[in-house]
């Protein structure tokens, strides 16, 4: 038996409806002849079994369709705001909401002085000032944060990822050479996308992908503002994580992974890996 279902899916941004074809086999013991293919020839029990199987298949197909429309991101707020209660001992994904009666304007405010230049005298020549839920409790559940990034001449924000956020970066002063690398592709390549940005230019770094910014000017500093699609985007600086982890990753593992001698790995692990995030 061939059933045809027309299922509306109003929540999908790309599909207004889905057509589901389901082939239902006759009950065990029935042969697909002209005589037995007539629904009226089935017993009440057999019809009930077929109806149950059909319902299960339809629900499974619907779940498969809807699952494709789910977008992984910070959870959407279910109320106007959920100011983080950092004193709560309850452990949740994010922070417990403060009692709305205790919420004040200062929960949404921070005198961050983002108009002031930062110290960029570190070994990598950059300074990231992150404004996330840890600094503004009112960001809890809102799925957004930002950062000011200062670059010394020839300074860089080294290759890193944000495991929970897409980043959109705007250059306020100077010039930046930026780029990101794709995940492993079917052709075993990781494609690099790069661009030279000037004042006022904007560039997007997709969530979770390795990316970087470099100030190519030997004389002028640069400044950028980045918005991130998470209240707590996280950052994994590749060199620091690989060669500066505590305890260290086995040099046997890294020597094979990078196809270098172990003494090279040992030298890298002995370096001081500066953190430019504040």
């Amino acid at each position: 038996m061939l059933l045809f279902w027309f299922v509306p899916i109003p929540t999908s941004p790309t599909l207004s409806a889905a057509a589901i074809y389901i082939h239902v086999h006759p009950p065990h013991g029935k042969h697909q002849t002209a005589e037995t293919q007539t629904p009226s020839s089935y017993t009440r029990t057999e019809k009930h079994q077929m109806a149950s199987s059909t319902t299960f298949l339809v629900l499974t197909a619907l779940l498969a369709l809807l699952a494709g429309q789910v977008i992984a991101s910070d959870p959407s707020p279910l109320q106007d705001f959920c100011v983080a209660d950092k004193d709560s001992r309850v452990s949740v994904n994010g922070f417990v909401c403060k009692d709305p009666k205790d919420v004040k304007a200062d929960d949404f405010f921070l005198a961050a002085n983002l108009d002031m230049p930062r110290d960029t005298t570190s070994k990598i020549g950059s300074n990231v000032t992150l404004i996330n839920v840890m600094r503004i409790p009112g960001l809890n559940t809102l799925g957004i944060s930002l950062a000011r990034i200062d670059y010394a001449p020839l300074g860089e924000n080294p290759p890193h990822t944000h495991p929970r956020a897409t980043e959109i970066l705007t250059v306020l002063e100077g010039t930046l050479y930026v780029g990101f690398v794709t995940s492993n592709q079917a052709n075993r390549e990781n494609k690099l996308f790069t661009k030279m940005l000037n004042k006022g230019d904007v560039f997007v770094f997709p969530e979770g992908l390795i990316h970087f910014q470099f100030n190519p000017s030997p004389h002028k500093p640069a400044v950028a503002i980045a918005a991130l699609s998470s209240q707590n985007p996280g950052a994994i600086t590749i060199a620091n994580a690989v060669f500066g982890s505590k305890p260290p990753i086995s040099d046997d593992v890294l020597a094979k992974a990078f196809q270098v001698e172990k003494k090279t790995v040992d030298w890298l692990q002995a370096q001081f890996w500066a953190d430019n995030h504040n």
Side-chain angles (χ1 to χ4, degrees):
M1 179 185 297
L2 183 65
L3 300 181
F4 176 84
W5 293 73
F6 185 76
V7 183
I9 307 179
T11 58
S12 170
T14 56
L15 298 175
S16 59
I20 304 174
Y21 293 87
I22 300 176
H23 183 268
V24 181
H25 293 282
H28 181 69
K30 293 284 186 179
H31 299 286
Q32 293 189 4
T33 64
E35 180 180 355
T36 59
Q37 285 178 350
T38 305
S40 60
S41 65
Y42 297 139
T43 66
R44 183 184 299 274
T45 300
E46 290 170 339
K47 290 179 180 179
H48 178 73
Q49 291 174 344
M50 290 182 63
S52 299
S53 299
T54 301
T55 301
F56 174 77
L57 289 171
V58 170
L59 290 175
T60 301
L62 278 173
L63 287 173
L65 284 170
L66 294 176
Q69 308 305 315
V70 175
I71 300 175
S73 182
D74 283 7
S76 298
L78 300 178
Q79 58 276 322
D80 289 346
F81 50 78
C82 173
V83 173
D85 183 356
K86 297 179 183 177
D87 296 326
S88 174
R89 301 181 65 180
V90 178
S91 179
V92 298
N93 184 24
F95 291 95
V96 173
C97 301
K98 181 186 289 188
D99 189 325
K101 298 191 299 294
D102 299 328
V103 172
K104 301 177 181 178
D106 282 348
D107 290 319
F108 304 93
F109 170 79
L110 178 67
N113 298 319
L114 290 185
D115 59 322
M116 302 297 293
R118 265 50 179 179
D119 180 14
T120 57
T121 58
S122 67
K123 292 174 65 175
I124 55 178
S126 68
N127 190 319
V128 179
T129 304
L130 178 64
I131 310 298
N132 63 3
V133 69
M134 302 304 297
R135 304 193 67 183
I136 301 181
L139 285 174
N140 192 40
T141 75
L142 298 185
I144 193 170
S145 57
L146 66 82
R148 171 184 168 126
I149 312 170
D150 291 75
Y151 310 83
L154 300 180
E156 73 171 11
N157 191 11
H160 63 284
T161 72
H162 300 296
R164 295 178 290 275
T166 292
E167 175 182 345
I168 182 167
L169 179 133
T170 303
V171 178
L172 300 183
E173 296 291 342
T175 301
L176 290 176
Y177 171 69
V178 305
F180 68 85
V181 182
T182 65
S183 59
N184 299 347
Q185 302 299 298
N187 60 3
R188 299 185 180 181
E189 292 183 354
N190 300 88
K191 187 173 182 179
L192 172 65
F193 293 87
T194 63
K195 193 74 175 176
M196 191 70 74
L197 305 183
N198 297 306
K199 183 177 180 178
D201 289 344
V202 176
F203 197 81
V204 174
F205 305 106
E207 179 176 342
L209 297 187
I210 296 174
H211 59 283
F212 61 87
Q213 303 106 36
F214 172 71
N215 178 8
S217 173
H219 306 294
K220 296 181 179 180
V223 181
I225 286 286
L228 301 112
S229 62
S230 172
Q231 67 182 40
N232 185 25
I236 303 172
T237 305
I238 306 305
N240 298 38
V242 173
F243 296 109
S245 66
K246 304 295 182 184
I249 300 173
S250 166
D251 55 4
D252 289 314
V253 172
L254 295 181
K256 184 173 288 292
F258 287 92
Q259 300 176 38
V260 297
E261 295 182 0
K262 286 203 295 183
K263 63 181 181 181
T264 302
V265 172
D266 294 338
W267 181 84
L268 287 168
Q269 290 181 322
Q271 304 307 303
F272 172 74
W273 295 97
D275 182 7
N276 65 335
H277 286 71
N278 297 298

